[in-house]
Amino acid sequence: FDRLPRGMKLTAAGEIVLASVRRAQRDYEQALAQVEALRTLKRGHISLGVPHASAEVLMPRVMRSMLADYPGISFDVRTGNGEALLRAVAGGEVDIAFCLQRMAPPGVEQIRAWPQQLGAVVAPDHPLAQRTAKLRLRDCLAHPLVLPAPDMELRAMVDRIASRDRQLLKPTVQTTSVAMMRTLAADAGLLGLLVQENVFQDVAAGRLRWLPLADAEAQSATGLYQRVGQRAAVATGVFVQFLDRAFNEWLTLQ
């Protein structure tokens, strides 16, 4: 303080300290409010974009678990490929998007990421099903393949590995349907190439085996994206917690 004839006045340093204390107090009060909102979350809405394959198994399971604890939450879910979903985020059509990691368009940022691994998907009686040695893409090419269609992100991962090894891909079936890939692997003896998220339910049921590829390019991640500067709603924060739980509990299955 500066002492004046009629009292005291904050110095410049005092003004800085006071502003900092006020910001800290606001942050503390906001944190308490958010904690209370989490504890008593009764209403909330999540506008979400996801790939078709994630909408088939993973997201319904996450939503079912979340709704069991927070029945007042509502969801608006759009499906599409990763590029379309990030455009929807940028355009304000959805609040968040969950898709394989990629360069975000202007105005969109990644806020979370979960590791994803590409692997071979085969029936339990397939010749590779009991393999214990490291598996690479070149080991799979001697078997009939069912691959993602050329315009899919998963196919881009496969193509990068094949290009590096100068391998020619000759799939028996190409499809945009992950469900078809699983069915053909389980019932027709074909070898598919998918990430764990796509197959964990069938692996847990013993219907399929998933064998991770040791190729370096087989490593990827799924990201969660939102508009730059957007403040996540409390319901969205809870949703991320349930996604974390899903990856921790289900995607460790092999």
Side-chain angles (χ1 to χ4, degrees):
F1 294 92
D2 284 329
R3 294 185 178 276
L4 303 175
R6 296 186 178 181
M8 294 186 297
K9 179 182 178 182
L10 283 174
T11 63
E15 293 285 359
I16 292 172
V17 172
L18 179 61
S20 177
V21 170
R22 285 173 173 165
R23 285 195 300 270
Q25 181 64 27
R26 285 197 301 271
D27 290 345
Y28 176 67
E29 291 172 352
Q30 289 174 357
L32 288 181
Q34 290 175 0
V35 170
E36 180 64 14
L38 284 173
R39 189 181 68 82
T40 62
L41 186 59
K42 295 181 179 179
R43 294 185 183 85
H45 184 73
I46 297 171
S47 175
L48 170 69
V50 300
H52 298 290
S54 299
E56 183 184 350
V57 178
L58 176 63
M59 285 303 160
R61 292 179 68 114
V62 171
M63 292 163 64
R64 182 181 67 188
S65 297
M66 188 171 175
L67 289 170
D69 291 346
Y70 303 101
I73 299 297
S74 61
F75 294 86
D76 183 3
V77 182
R78 169 181 294 203
T79 59
N81 63 34
E83 296 298 330
L85 295 176
L86 293 190
R87 287 197 300 269
V89 172
E93 299 168 62
V94 297
D95 292 334
I96 53 176
F98 175 87
C99 60
L100 280 177
Q101 202 170 53
R102 69 200 57 238
M103 284 290 294
V108 177
E109 62 182 354
Q110 180 180 292
I111 57 174
R112 285 296 300 274
W114 294 268
Q116 291 277 26
Q117 171 82 30
L118 187 68
V121 180
V122 296
D125 59 353
H126 190 276
L128 292 179
Q130 305 307 319
R131 184 184 175 107
T132 56
K134 287 185 177 180
L135 184 70
R136 297 185 181 276
L137 177 63
R138 60 175 175 264
D139 302 318
C140 303
L141 301 184
H143 303 273
L145 300 175
V146 51
L147 295 183
D151 60 343
M152 295 180 69
E153 293 91 343
L154 287 173
R155 180 60 178 270
M157 294 177 67
V158 178
D159 288 344
R160 284 194 294 271
I161 302 172
S163 176
R164 186 205 62 183
D165 291 346
R166 299 182 181 180
Q167 301 284 349
L168 181 63
L169 298 175
K170 296 181 178 180
T172 301
V173 178
Q174 298 183 111
T175 176
T176 59
S177 171
V178 170
M180 177 180 286
M181 293 179 66
R182 290 196 306 264
T183 299
L184 289 174
D187 299 339
L190 274 61
L191 184 151
L193 291 165
L194 296 170
V195 294
Q196 278 178 293
E197 176 199 331
N198 302 142
V199 298
F200 68 85
Q201 191 172 41
D202 288 299
V203 171
R207 178 174 164 82
L208 288 171
R209 292 290 313 278
W210 180 84
L211 310 170
L213 294 183
D215 303 272
E217 291 85 351
Q219 305 284 339
S220 186
T222 294
L224 192 68
Y225 297 85
Q226 69 175 18
R227 290 186 297 282
V228 172
Q230 175 181 327
R231 185 173 179 177
V234 172
T236 301
V238 175
F239 175 73
V240 171
Q241 293 177 12
F242 278 84
L243 266 179
D244 278 332
R245 185 185 303 175
F247 275 85
N248 290 334
E249 291 178 355
W250 304 328
L251 302 188
T252 55
L253 297 173
Q254 295 187 17

PDB file of all heavy atoms in Angstrom, residues 114-128:
ATOM      1  N   TRP A 114      -6.473 -41.966 -27.326  1.00  0.00           N
ATOM      2  CA  TRP A 114      -6.357 -43.321 -26.803  1.00  0.00           C
ATOM      3  C   TRP A 114      -5.603 -44.160 -27.828  1.00  0.00           C
ATOM      4  O   TRP A 114      -5.912 -44.102 -29.019  1.00  0.00           O
ATOM      5  CB  TRP A 114      -7.735 -43.933 -26.561  1.00  0.00           C
ATOM      6  CG  TRP A 114      -8.525 -43.268 -25.488  1.00  0.00           C
ATOM      7  CD1 TRP A 114      -8.566 -43.598 -24.156  1.00  0.00           C
ATOM      8  CD2 TRP A 114      -9.435 -42.160 -25.628  1.00  0.00           C
ATOM      9  NE1 TRP A 114      -9.427 -42.767 -23.477  1.00  0.00           N
ATOM     10  CE2 TRP A 114      -9.965 -41.868 -24.361  1.00  0.00           C
ATOM     11  CE3 TRP A 114      -9.834 -41.382 -26.719  1.00  0.00           C
ATOM     12  CZ2 TRP A 114     -10.878 -40.846 -24.149  1.00  0.00           C
ATOM     13  CZ3 TRP A 114     -10.736 -40.350 -26.514  1.00  0.00           C
ATOM     14  CH2 TRP A 114     -11.250 -40.098 -25.235  1.00  0.00           C
ATOM     15  N   PRO A 115      -4.616 -44.949 -27.404  1.00  0.00           N
ATOM     16  CA  PRO A 115      -3.840 -45.735 -28.371  1.00  0.00           C
ATOM     17  C   PRO A 115      -4.684 -46.789 -29.058  1.00  0.00           C
ATOM     18  O   PRO A 115      -5.583 -47.368 -28.460  1.00  0.00           O
ATOM     19  CB  PRO A 115      -2.742 -46.375 -27.503  1.00  0.00           C
ATOM     20  CG  PRO A 115      -3.302 -46.374 -26.112  1.00  0.00           C
ATOM     21  CD  PRO A 115      -4.172 -45.163 -26.012  1.00  0.00           C
ATOM     22  N   GLN A 116      -4.392 -46.995 -30.323  1.00  0.00           N
ATOM     23  CA  GLN A 116      -5.044 -48.039 -31.112  1.00  0.00           C
ATOM     24  C   GLN A 116      -3.956 -48.838 -31.837  1.00  0.00           C
ATOM     25  O   GLN A 116      -2.951 -48.276 -32.274  1.00  0.00           O
ATOM     26  CB  GLN A 116      -5.997 -47.442 -32.150  1.00  0.00           C
ATOM     27  CG  GLN A 116      -7.239 -46.798 -31.552  1.00  0.00           C
ATOM     28  CD  GLN A 116      -8.332 -47.819 -31.247  1.00  0.00           C
ATOM     29  OE1 GLN A 116      -8.061 -48.989 -31.026  1.00  0.00           O
ATOM     30  NE2 GLN A 116      -9.574 -47.362 -31.229  1.00  0.00           N
ATOM     31  N   GLN A 117      -4.172 -50.117 -31.949  1.00  0.00           N
ATOM     32  CA  GLN A 117      -3.210 -51.019 -32.571  1.00  0.00           C
ATOM     33  C   GLN A 117      -3.908 -51.812 -33.663  1.00  0.00           C
ATOM     34  O   GLN A 117      -4.976 -52.377 -33.447  1.00  0.00           O
ATOM     35  CB  GLN A 117      -2.654 -51.975 -31.509  1.00  0.00           C
ATOM     36  CG  GLN A 117      -1.808 -53.103 -32.023  1.00  0.00           C
ATOM     37  CD  GLN A 117      -0.378 -52.684 -32.289  1.00  0.00           C
ATOM     38  OE1 GLN A 117       0.134 -51.792 -31.635  1.00  0.00           O
ATOM     39  NE2 GLN A 117       0.254 -53.315 -33.258  1.00  0.00           N
ATOM     40  N   LEU A 118      -3.299 -51.843 -34.840  1.00  0.00           N
ATOM     41  CA  LEU A 118      -3.835 -52.642 -35.928  1.00  0.00           C
ATOM     42  C   LEU A 118      -3.420 -54.093 -35.738  1.00  0.00           C
ATOM     43  O   LEU A 118      -2.277 -54.379 -35.355  1.00  0.00           O
ATOM     44  CB  LEU A 118      -3.310 -52.130 -37.267  1.00  0.00           C
ATOM     45  CG  LEU A 118      -3.903 -52.752 -38.534  1.00  0.00           C
ATOM     46  CD1 LEU A 118      -5.363 -52.348 -38.685  1.00  0.00           C
ATOM     47  CD2 LEU A 118      -3.101 -52.311 -39.753  1.00  0.00           C
ATOM     48  N   GLY A 119      -4.353 -55.013 -35.987  1.00  0.00           N
ATOM     49  CA  GLY A 119      -4.043 -56.425 -35.817  1.00  0.00           C
ATOM     50  C   GLY A 119      -4.811 -57.296 -36.794  1.00  0.00           C
ATOM     51  O   GLY A 119      -5.776 -56.855 -37.435  1.00  0.00           O
ATOM     52  N   ALA A 120      -4.356 -58.527 -36.903  1.00  0.00           N
ATOM     53  CA  ALA A 120      -5.040 -59.514 -37.746  1.00  0.00           C
ATOM     54  C   ALA A 120      -6.206 -60.118 -36.976  1.00  0.00           C
ATOM     55  O   ALA A 120      -6.080 -60.445 -35.793  1.00  0.00           O
ATOM     56  CB  ALA A 120      -4.067 -60.608 -38.172  1.00  0.00           C
ATOM     57  N   VAL A 121      -7.340 -60.247 -37.649  1.00  0.00           N
ATOM     58  CA  VAL A 121      -8.550 -60.810 -37.053  1.00  0.00           C
ATOM     59  C   VAL A 121      -8.847 -62.137 -37.746  1.00  0.00           C
ATOM     60  O   VAL A 121      -9.035 -62.165 -38.973  1.00  0.00           O
ATOM     61  CB  VAL A 121      -9.740 -59.844 -37.213  1.00  0.00           C
ATOM     62  CG1 VAL A 121     -10.998 -60.438 -36.598  1.00  0.00           C
ATOM     63  CG2 VAL A 121      -9.415 -58.497 -36.588  1.00  0.00           C
ATOM     64  N   VAL A 122      -8.855 -63.219 -36.972  1.00  0.00           N
ATOM     65  CA  VAL A 122      -9.050 -64.551 -37.553  1.00  0.00           C
ATOM     66  C   VAL A 122      -9.968 -65.384 -36.668  1.00  0.00           C
ATOM     67  O   VAL A 122     -10.153 -65.086 -35.485  1.00  0.00           O
ATOM     68  CB  VAL A 122      -7.699 -65.288 -37.726  1.00  0.00           C
ATOM     69  CG1 VAL A 122      -6.805 -64.566 -38.722  1.00  0.00           C
ATOM     70  CG2 VAL A 122      -6.996 -65.450 -36.381  1.00  0.00           C
ATOM     71  N   ALA A 123     -10.520 -66.429 -37.255  1.00  0.00           N
ATOM     72  CA  ALA A 123     -11.314 -67.392 -36.479  1.00  0.00           C
ATOM     73  C   ALA A 123     -10.380 -68.210 -35.586  1.00  0.00           C
ATOM     74  O   ALA A 123      -9.182 -68.335 -35.869  1.00  0.00           O
ATOM     75  CB  ALA A 123     -12.081 -68.308 -37.429  1.00  0.00           C
ATOM     76  N   PRO A 124     -10.893 -68.779 -34.504  1.00  0.00           N
ATOM     77  CA  PRO A 124     -10.051 -69.571 -33.594  1.00  0.00           C
ATOM     78  C   PRO A 124      -9.359 -70.754 -34.252  1.00  0.00           C
ATOM     79  O   PRO A 124      -8.314 -71.206 -33.771  1.00  0.00           O
ATOM     80  CB  PRO A 124     -11.038 -70.030 -32.517  1.00  0.00           C
ATOM     81  CG  PRO A 124     -12.128 -69.007 -32.529  1.00  0.00           C
ATOM     82  CD  PRO A 124     -12.263 -68.599 -33.969  1.00  0.00           C
ATOM     83  N   ASP A 125      -9.915 -71.283 -35.365  1.00  0.00           N
ATOM     84  CA  ASP A 125      -9.294 -72.422 -36.033  1.00  0.00           C
ATOM     85  C   ASP A 125      -8.443 -72.014 -37.240  1.00  0.00           C
ATOM     86  O   ASP A 125      -8.004 -72.856 -38.018  1.00  0.00           O
ATOM     87  CB  ASP A 125     -10.356 -73.430 -36.472  1.00  0.00           C
ATOM     88  CG  ASP A 125     -11.383 -72.821 -37.431  1.00  0.00           C
ATOM     89  OD1 ASP A 125     -11.340 -71.593 -37.652  1.00  0.00           O
ATOM     90  OD2 ASP A 125     -12.241 -73.570 -37.942  1.00  0.00           O
ATOM     91  N   HIS A 126      -8.197 -70.737 -37.406  1.00  0.00           N
ATOM     92  CA  HIS A 126      -7.367 -70.255 -38.506  1.00  0.00           C
ATOM     93  C   HIS A 126      -5.915 -70.682 -38.275  1.00  0.00           C
ATOM     94  O   HIS A 126      -5.473 -70.781 -37.116  1.00  0.00           O
ATOM     95  CB  HIS A 126      -7.452 -68.733 -38.600  1.00  0.00           C
ATOM     96  CG  HIS A 126      -6.827 -68.153 -39.827  1.00  0.00           C
ATOM     97  ND1 HIS A 126      -5.481 -67.890 -39.935  1.00  0.00           N
ATOM     98  CD2 HIS A 126      -7.394 -67.763 -41.011  1.00  0.00           C
ATOM     99  CE1 HIS A 126      -5.226 -67.366 -41.120  1.00  0.00           C
ATOM    100  NE2 HIS A 126      -6.359 -67.267 -41.794  1.00  0.00           N
ATOM    101  N   PRO A 127      -5.136 -70.941 -39.338  1.00  0.00           N
ATOM    102  CA  PRO A 127      -3.742 -71.365 -39.169  1.00  0.00           C
ATOM    103  C   PRO A 127      -2.884 -70.404 -38.343  1.00  0.00           C
ATOM    104  O   PRO A 127      -1.919 -70.828 -37.697  1.00  0.00           O
ATOM    105  CB  PRO A 127      -3.234 -71.447 -40.616  1.00  0.00           C
ATOM    106  CG  PRO A 127      -4.445 -71.717 -41.428  1.00  0.00           C
ATOM    107  CD  PRO A 127      -5.564 -71.001 -40.748  1.00  0.00           C
ATOM    108  N   LEU A 128      -3.229 -69.113 -38.322  1.00  0.00           N
ATOM    109  CA  LEU A 128      -2.446 -68.145 -37.556  1.00  0.00           C
ATOM    110  C   LEU A 128      -2.970 -67.921 -36.136  1.00  0.00           C
ATOM    111  O   LEU A 128      -2.339 -67.209 -35.343  1.00  0.00           O
ATOM    112  CB  LEU A 128      -2.415 -66.792 -38.275  1.00  0.00           C
ATOM    113  CG  LEU A 128      -1.650 -66.729 -39.603  1.00  0.00           C
ATOM    114  CD1 LEU A 128      -1.736 -65.320 -40.184  1.00  0.00           C
ATOM    115  CD2 LEU A 128      -0.195 -67.120 -39.404  1.00  0.00           C
TER     116      LEU A 128
END
